[in-house]
Amino acid sequence: MENLQDIAHQVYQRTGVMTSSKDVEKILSAVAATPHFWEIITLSQRPFSVVAEMIELLRQKNLVTIEKNGDIKFNSKGLEYLNSLKIVPKRVYTCPACEGRGINLSKLEDLIKKFDQVTVNRPKAISDYDQGFVTTQTVVSRIVLMAERGDLEGKKLLVLGDDDLVSIAAGLSGMPTEIVVMEIDDRIVEYINEVANKYNLPIKAMKYDFRDKLPDEYVGYFDTFITDPPETIEALEICIGRGISALSQEGCAGYFGLTLIEASLGKWNIFQQILASKFKVVVTDIIDDFNHYVNWDYLLKSVGKDYAFVQVEPRLNWYRSSMYRIETLIDSKGIENEYKPCELYVDEEALIYKEENK
Amino acid sequence: MENLQDIAHQVYQRTGVMTSSKDVEKILSAVAATPHFWEIITLSQRPFSVVAEMIELLRQKNLVTIEKNGDIKFNSKGLEYLNSLKIVPKRVYTCPACEGRGINLSKLEDLIKKFDQVTVNRPKAISDYDQGFVTTQTVVSRIVLMAERGDLEGKKLLVLGDDDLVSIAAGLSGMPTEIVVMEIDDRIVEYINEVANKYNLPIKAMKYDFRDKLPDEYVGYFDTFITDPPETIEALEICIGRGISALSQEGCAGYFGLTLIEASLGKWNIFQQILASKFKVVVTDIIDDFNHYVNWDYLLKSVGKDYAFVQVEPRLNWYRSSMYRIETLIDSKGIENEYKPCELYVDEEALIYKEENK
């Protein structure tokens, strides 16, 4: 029967994303653990397009059957194949108390409640800016993480893009002295300013597209930044580079999410080279599955595949990302403060299909 | 009163380790949270020598008082100083269920018990090789982490240096098909082989100094390696380089601990450059405080400072490290398979004072 290397090569030909036999193994192990496409993505931690094309390949080779409800199941030939490769269902040992983040939220229950109350009428996620916001548990865990590392209390915080409303949670925590939100979506800028006014929070939100230069007064101004960047290499470099340029000195910190759903390990490596060698910052933490996103309405309409097993409503908050924390050193530097055109959302690893990608 | 930048500069002059005003802030925040030197190290996550010299400086400037039992306390002048800087005691929000690792060990209780029974007569940690082994919770968490990522079950595992006895825990788990231990200490080689024989575990331990070339048959042989390297840059590069050379293909994984106690953030950055650009591997996880070490007997005799506040028995498992996981890509490569002389243990960030360091 088909060997792993051949499958990896066929997946590569279909997607343009480098795929190894170990990647194939990890996806097989995830399919053995759950029949639900979106959970397979979560468990295998491999790019969306790779997982989708590999399952389609398994279907064509008659190793899996797609059921009426979209469930993916190994048939007897498929199970035999798994056995021959000694592949076992993916094991999960996530701490149920903290969802694997390692953070205790029990002291923050008031903040969780308050955040949910205050943001009940938040703007809906829209596709124009690839929006999709994180769960309240995630938002508050971000606040705790920054606080624990000494990056929040008495500090000036920059939130670069904020459909997650981290600024509001940070404001409600009472810890930062000043919070600035730079955000491209007018609805969100307006919403955050309204909430800040109503609850007297030290937040100022303004319209900003991170391809534009930073307002001069904010270069070298902040102690900490947090962002959730789009995941093309160009967008990562510019977005995180802007964040670093906004920090005031060595020992400042940046926080951002990065997925393995829209970014391959090869992309992670290139980006880590940029962080270590070009920006000269140090990565102090990479926390797996830290950020859990609430499912957004436009997913099935805009996702780049129409396979029956893909076109099913997610049964879990499947879209997750790792949380990076970086810290600046004495010779860290961001990017030049000038306009930088770049492709934000679309490359071969992207989840969302855009017209201009035809 | 003294500003943070001046203190940072004086600490740098005393230690040779780059120190920023944010570092000083983090240490002050840790001292505000606990009077115990070893806990201050754990909370501040800054190099041992930096923390020790900074506290000595605070004492000389009459900001802290050292009590009879070695406890370090801000006096009224010190508290005033903290207030003027708006520095608050370090906050801790570690999940109590998983000690912050994010891993649920409840399915592994049998393995925990078995490991403790089997290793009850383990060799003591000795200073010749900077030994100090991790807690049983840590060892089993390592097994779980490797298993969850698909790097253990049905795989060939290399343990490069094993005073932690990870090989025995892995063998008892029944998951790897083959485990090879390369270890410099004859006592440990012998002990592991005895246990492996007695319990019929698929482990082979052999004497090996990682400055020597790898046995040819083990170049490109393993799926996974795990190690706990000494922390000079040279030792890190050679040790992790050997591990990568021992892996068979892309998609293989390496695990190792790295502290902020004996390695500054500057050293982390240099090492991350090596990982990303020279070895072309990707860092997939950096899990803070994952590895907890059992206190070792020779600490106070060999530690490089004789200040009264340092010479106190630790009241907690204070020595901790972050767990790195790396994954290989198609163009990853380790180091040439030849003898590499290097300084293993001693640089200005080292904890242990060796004769040759005079």
Side-chain angles (χ1 to χ4, degrees), chain B residues 64-102:
Chain B
V64 301
T65 309
I66 310 301
E67 306 202 333
K68 271 217 174 109
N69 64 355
D71 273 7
I72 302 151
K73 293 215 173 129
F74 283 109
N75 54 29
S76 57
K77 188 176 153 204
L79 289 172
E80 209 175 288
Y81 180 59
L82 282 189
N83 274 338
S84 73
L85 294 166
K86 296 195 171 51
I87 287 172
V88 292
K90 158 93 177 174
R91 289 168 187 269
V92 177
Y93 300 91
T94 309
C95 174
C98 63
E99 296 185 326
R101 295 186 193 94

Short mmCIF file of all heavy atoms in Angstrom, two decimals, chain B residues 64-102:
data_model
loop_
_atom_site.label_atom_id
_atom_site.label_comp_id
_atom_site.label_asym_id
_atom_site.label_seq_id
_atom_site.Cartn_x
_atom_site.Cartn_y
_atom_site.Cartn_z
N VAL B 64 17.74 47.23 51.74
CA VAL B 64 17.24 45.99 52.35
C VAL B 64 18.08 45.65 53.57
O VAL B 64 19.25 46.06 53.69
CB VAL B 64 17.27 44.78 51.37
CG1 VAL B 64 16.44 45.03 50.13
CG2 VAL B 64 18.70 44.39 51.01
N THR B 65 17.46 44.87 54.46
CA THR B 65 18.15 44.36 55.65
C THR B 65 18.23 42.84 55.51
O THR B 65 17.28 42.22 55.05
CB THR B 65 17.32 44.70 56.90
OG1 THR B 65 17.01 46.09 56.84
CG2 THR B 65 18.07 44.37 58.18
N ILE B 66 19.38 42.29 55.89
CA ILE B 66 19.50 40.82 55.87
C ILE B 66 19.29 40.34 57.30
O ILE B 66 20.03 40.72 58.21
CB ILE B 66 20.89 40.38 55.37
CG1 ILE B 66 21.25 41.07 54.04
CG2 ILE B 66 20.95 38.86 55.24
CD1 ILE B 66 20.29 40.84 52.91
N GLU B 67 18.29 39.49 57.50
CA GLU B 67 18.00 39.03 58.85
C GLU B 67 18.92 37.86 59.22
O GLU B 67 19.66 37.34 58.38
CB GLU B 67 16.52 38.63 58.94
CG GLU B 67 15.64 39.79 58.47
CD GLU B 67 14.23 39.73 58.99
OE1 GLU B 67 13.75 38.62 59.27
OE2 GLU B 67 13.62 40.82 59.11
N LYS B 68 18.84 37.44 60.49
CA LYS B 68 19.75 36.39 60.97
C LYS B 68 19.63 35.10 60.15
O LYS B 68 20.62 34.41 59.91
CB LYS B 68 19.41 36.08 62.45
CG LYS B 68 20.20 36.95 63.43
CD LYS B 68 20.59 36.15 64.66
CE LYS B 68 21.49 36.98 65.56
NZ LYS B 68 20.77 37.40 66.79
N ASN B 69 18.39 34.77 59.76
CA ASN B 69 18.20 33.52 58.99
C ASN B 69 18.46 33.70 57.50
O ASN B 69 18.16 32.80 56.70
CB ASN B 69 16.77 32.99 59.22
CG ASN B 69 15.72 33.96 58.67
OD1 ASN B 69 16.06 35.05 58.20
ND2 ASN B 69 14.47 33.56 58.73
N GLY B 70 19.00 34.86 57.12
CA GLY B 70 19.30 35.09 55.71
C GLY B 70 18.18 35.75 54.93
O GLY B 70 18.34 36.09 53.76
N ASP B 71 17.02 35.94 55.57
CA ASP B 71 15.90 36.57 54.88
C ASP B 71 16.24 38.01 54.46
O ASP B 71 16.95 38.73 55.18
CB ASP B 71 14.66 36.61 55.78
CG ASP B 71 13.84 35.32 55.67
OD1 ASP B 71 14.31 34.37 55.01
OD2 ASP B 71 12.75 35.27 56.26
N ILE B 72 15.71 38.38 53.31
CA ILE B 72 15.99 39.69 52.72
C ILE B 72 14.72 40.53 52.83
O ILE B 72 13.68 40.14 52.28
CB ILE B 72 16.37 39.52 51.23
CG1 ILE B 72 17.59 38.60 51.10
CG2 ILE B 72 16.62 40.87 50.57
CD1 ILE B 72 17.65 37.83 49.80
N LYS B 73 14.80 41.67 53.52
CA LYS B 73 13.58 42.48 53.66
C LYS B 73 13.85 43.94 53.37
O LYS B 73 14.83 44.52 53.84
CB LYS B 73 13.03 42.34 55.08
CG LYS B 73 12.52 40.94 55.36
CD LYS B 73 11.30 40.94 56.28
CE LYS B 73 10.73 39.53 56.37
NZ LYS B 73 10.53 39.11 57.78
N PHE B 74 12.94 44.56 52.59
CA PHE B 74 13.03 46.00 52.39
C PHE B 74 12.84 46.68 53.74
O PHE B 74 11.93 46.35 54.49
CB PHE B 74 11.96 46.49 51.41
CG PHE B 74 12.29 46.21 49.98
CD1 PHE B 74 11.61 45.25 49.26
CD2 PHE B 74 13.33 46.90 49.35
CE1 PHE B 74 11.94 44.97 47.94
CE2 PHE B 74 13.66 46.63 48.02
CZ PHE B 74 12.97 45.66 47.32
N ASN B 75 13.69 47.65 54.06
CA ASN B 75 13.47 48.48 55.24
C ASN B 75 12.59 49.67 54.83
O ASN B 75 12.13 49.73 53.67
CB ASN B 75 14.81 48.92 55.84
CG ASN B 75 15.68 49.60 54.80
OD1 ASN B 75 15.16 50.20 53.86
ND2 ASN B 75 16.99 49.48 54.94
N SER B 76 12.36 50.61 55.75
CA SER B 76 11.41 51.68 55.41
C SER B 76 11.93 52.52 54.24
O SER B 76 11.15 52.92 53.35
CB SER B 76 11.12 52.55 56.63
OG SER B 76 12.33 53.08 57.12
N LYS B 77 13.23 52.74 54.20
CA LYS B 77 13.80 53.48 53.07
C LYS B 77 13.57 52.70 51.75
O LYS B 77 13.25 53.27 50.71
CB LYS B 77 15.30 53.68 53.31
CG LYS B 77 15.99 54.60 52.32
CD LYS B 77 17.47 54.83 52.68
CE LYS B 77 18.30 55.15 51.47
NZ LYS B 77 19.74 54.85 51.62
N GLY B 78 13.74 51.38 51.84
CA GLY B 78 13.53 50.52 50.66
C GLY B 78 12.08 50.54 50.19
O GLY B 78 11.81 50.60 48.98
N LEU B 79 11.16 50.49 51.14
CA LEU B 79 9.74 50.49 50.78
C LEU B 79 9.34 51.81 50.12
O LEU B 79 8.57 51.84 49.15
CB LEU B 79 8.88 50.23 52.02
CG LEU B 79 8.97 48.79 52.56
CD1 LEU B 79 8.26 48.66 53.90
CD2 LEU B 79 8.40 47.78 51.55
N GLU B 80 9.89 52.88 50.66
CA GLU B 80 9.66 54.20 50.07
C GLU B 80 10.16 54.24 48.62
O GLU B 80 9.50 54.75 47.72
CB GLU B 80 10.47 55.21 50.89
CG GLU B 80 9.92 56.60 50.96
CD GLU B 80 10.81 57.41 51.90
OE1 GLU B 80 10.73 57.16 53.14
OE2 GLU B 80 11.60 58.23 51.40
N TYR B 81 11.34 53.64 48.43
CA TYR B 81 11.95 53.58 47.10
C TYR B 81 11.03 52.82 46.14
O TYR B 81 10.74 53.28 45.04
CB TYR B 81 13.31 52.89 47.23
CG TYR B 81 14.07 52.75 45.94
CD1 TYR B 81 14.42 53.86 45.18
CD2 TYR B 81 14.47 51.50 45.49
CE1 TYR B 81 15.14 53.73 44.00
CE2 TYR B 81 15.19 51.35 44.32
CZ TYR B 81 15.52 52.46 43.57
OH TYR B 81 16.22 52.32 42.41
N LEU B 82 10.54 51.64 46.57
CA LEU B 82 9.61 50.85 45.75
C LEU B 82 8.38 51.67 45.39
O LEU B 82 7.93 51.68 44.24
CB LEU B 82 9.12 49.62 46.52
CG LEU B 82 10.02 48.40 46.64
CD1 LEU B 82 9.23 47.25 47.25
CD2 LEU B 82 10.57 47.99 45.27
N ASN B 83 7.81 52.35 46.37
CA ASN B 83 6.62 53.17 46.14
C ASN B 83 6.88 54.25 45.11
O ASN B 83 6.06 54.49 44.23
CB ASN B 83 6.17 53.83 47.44
CG ASN B 83 5.26 52.90 48.22
OD1 ASN B 83 4.66 52.01 47.63
ND2 ASN B 83 5.19 53.11 49.52
N SER B 84 8.04 54.90 45.25
CA SER B 84 8.35 56.00 44.34
C SER B 84 8.43 55.49 42.90
O SER B 84 8.17 56.21 41.95
CB SER B 84 9.65 56.68 44.75
OG SER B 84 10.75 55.83 44.43
N LEU B 85 8.81 54.21 42.74
CA LEU B 85 8.92 53.62 41.40
C LEU B 85 7.64 52.90 40.98
O LEU B 85 7.56 52.34 39.89
CB LEU B 85 10.09 52.63 41.35
CG LEU B 85 11.48 53.23 41.53
CD1 LEU B 85 12.49 52.13 41.82
CD2 LEU B 85 11.88 54.00 40.28
N LYS B 86 6.64 52.88 41.87
CA LYS B 86 5.37 52.16 41.61
C LYS B 86 5.61 50.68 41.30
O LYS B 86 4.94 50.09 40.45
CB LYS B 86 4.60 52.82 40.46
CG LYS B 86 4.14 54.25 40.75
CD LYS B 86 3.09 54.68 39.74
CE LYS B 86 2.44 56.00 40.12
NZ LYS B 86 3.42 57.09 40.42
N ILE B 87 6.57 50.08 42.00
CA ILE B 87 6.83 48.66 41.79
C ILE B 87 6.03 47.84 42.80
O ILE B 87 6.07 48.11 43.99
CB ILE B 87 8.34 48.36 41.91
CG1 ILE B 87 9.03 48.92 40.65
CG2 ILE B 87 8.61 46.86 42.04
CD1 ILE B 87 10.51 48.88 40.70
N VAL B 88 5.27 46.88 42.28
CA VAL B 88 4.41 46.05 43.13
C VAL B 88 4.99 44.64 43.25
O VAL B 88 5.77 44.21 42.40
CB VAL B 88 2.98 45.96 42.54
CG1 VAL B 88 2.29 47.32 42.61
CG2 VAL B 88 3.03 45.45 41.11
N PRO B 89 4.63 43.92 44.33
CA PRO B 89 5.14 42.55 44.46
C PRO B 89 4.74 41.69 43.26
O PRO B 89 3.61 41.81 42.76
CB PRO B 89 4.45 42.04 45.74
CG PRO B 89 4.10 43.28 46.50
CD PRO B 89 3.80 44.32 45.47
N LYS B 90 5.66 40.87 42.81
CA LYS B 90 5.43 39.99 41.67
C LYS B 90 4.17 39.15 41.88
O LYS B 90 3.95 38.57 42.94
CB LYS B 90 6.66 39.06 41.58
CG LYS B 90 6.45 37.76 40.86
CD LYS B 90 6.82 37.86 39.40
CE LYS B 90 6.66 36.49 38.75
NZ LYS B 90 6.86 36.52 37.32
N ARG B 91 3.31 39.11 40.87
CA ARG B 91 2.08 38.33 40.93
C ARG B 91 2.31 36.93 40.37
O ARG B 91 3.04 36.78 39.38
CB ARG B 91 1.00 38.98 40.07
CG ARG B 91 0.45 40.26 40.66
CD ARG B 91 -0.38 40.99 39.62
NE ARG B 91 -0.77 42.29 40.11
CZ ARG B 91 -1.90 42.54 40.78
NH1 ARG B 91 -2.76 41.56 41.02
NH2 ARG B 91 -2.17 43.76 41.20
N VAL B 92 1.68 35.95 40.97
CA VAL B 92 1.80 34.57 40.48
C VAL B 92 0.41 33.99 40.29
O VAL B 92 -0.43 34.08 41.19
CB VAL B 92 2.61 33.71 41.46
CG1 VAL B 92 2.67 32.26 40.99
CG2 VAL B 92 4.03 34.26 41.61
N TYR B 93 0.15 33.44 39.12
CA TYR B 93 -1.16 32.86 38.80
C TYR B 93 -1.00 31.45 38.25
O TYR B 93 -1.72 31.06 37.33
CB TYR B 93 -1.87 33.69 37.74
CG TYR B 93 -2.16 35.14 38.08
CD1 TYR B 93 -1.24 36.14 37.77
CD2 TYR B 93 -3.36 35.49 38.69
CE1 TYR B 93 -1.52 37.47 38.06
CE2 TYR B 93 -3.65 36.82 38.97
CZ TYR B 93 -2.73 37.81 38.65
OH TYR B 93 -3.01 39.12 38.92
N THR B 94 -0.04 30.70 38.77
CA THR B 94 0.22 29.36 38.23
C THR B 94 -0.94 28.41 38.51
O THR B 94 -1.42 28.33 39.64
CB THR B 94 1.49 28.79 38.88
OG1 THR B 94 2.52 29.76 38.78
CG2 THR B 94 1.92 27.50 38.21
N CYS B 95 -1.36 27.66 37.51
CA CYS B 95 -2.44 26.68 37.70
C CYS B 95 -1.98 25.63 38.71
O CYS B 95 -0.97 24.95 38.48
CB CYS B 95 -2.78 26.02 36.37
SG CYS B 95 -3.99 24.68 36.54
N PRO B 96 -2.68 25.47 39.82
CA PRO B 96 -2.22 24.52 40.84
C PRO B 96 -2.40 23.07 40.39
O PRO B 96 -1.67 22.19 40.85
CB PRO B 96 -3.11 24.84 42.05
CG PRO B 96 -4.31 25.52 41.49
CD PRO B 96 -3.89 26.18 40.21
N ALA B 97 -3.32 22.83 39.48
CA ALA B 97 -3.57 21.44 39.06
C ALA B 97 -2.42 20.85 38.27
O ALA B 97 -2.12 19.66 38.37
CB ALA B 97 -4.86 21.37 38.24
N CYS B 98 -1.73 21.67 37.49
CA CYS B 98 -0.68 21.14 36.59
C CYS B 98 0.66 21.82 36.82
O CYS B 98 1.58 21.65 36.02
CB CYS B 98 -1.11 21.31 35.13
SG CYS B 98 -1.32 23.02 34.62
N GLU B 99 0.80 22.58 37.89
CA GLU B 99 2.03 23.34 38.17
C GLU B 99 2.41 24.23 36.98
O GLU B 99 3.59 24.52 36.78
CB GLU B 99 3.20 22.41 38.52
CG GLU B 99 2.99 21.61 39.82
CD GLU B 99 4.21 20.77 40.22
OE1 GLU B 99 4.92 20.27 39.33
OE2 GLU B 99 4.43 20.62 41.44
N GLY B 100 1.43 24.62 36.20
CA GLY B 100 1.67 25.55 35.09
C GLY B 100 2.12 24.91 33.79
O GLY B 100 2.34 25.60 32.80
N ARG B 101 2.23 23.58 33.78
CA ARG B 101 2.70 22.93 32.54
C ARG B 101 1.59 22.74 31.51
O ARG B 101 1.86 22.45 30.35
CB ARG B 101 3.33 21.58 32.86
CG ARG B 101 4.57 21.66 33.70
CD ARG B 101 5.21 20.28 33.86
NE ARG B 101 6.19 20.34 34.92
CZ ARG B 101 5.95 20.02 36.19
NH1 ARG B 101 4.77 19.59 36.55
NH2 ARG B 101 6.91 20.13 37.09
N GLY B 102 0.35 22.82 31.98
CA GLY B 102 -0.77 22.63 31.06
C GLY B 102 -1.10 21.18 30.79
O GLY B 102 -1.91 20.87 29.93
#
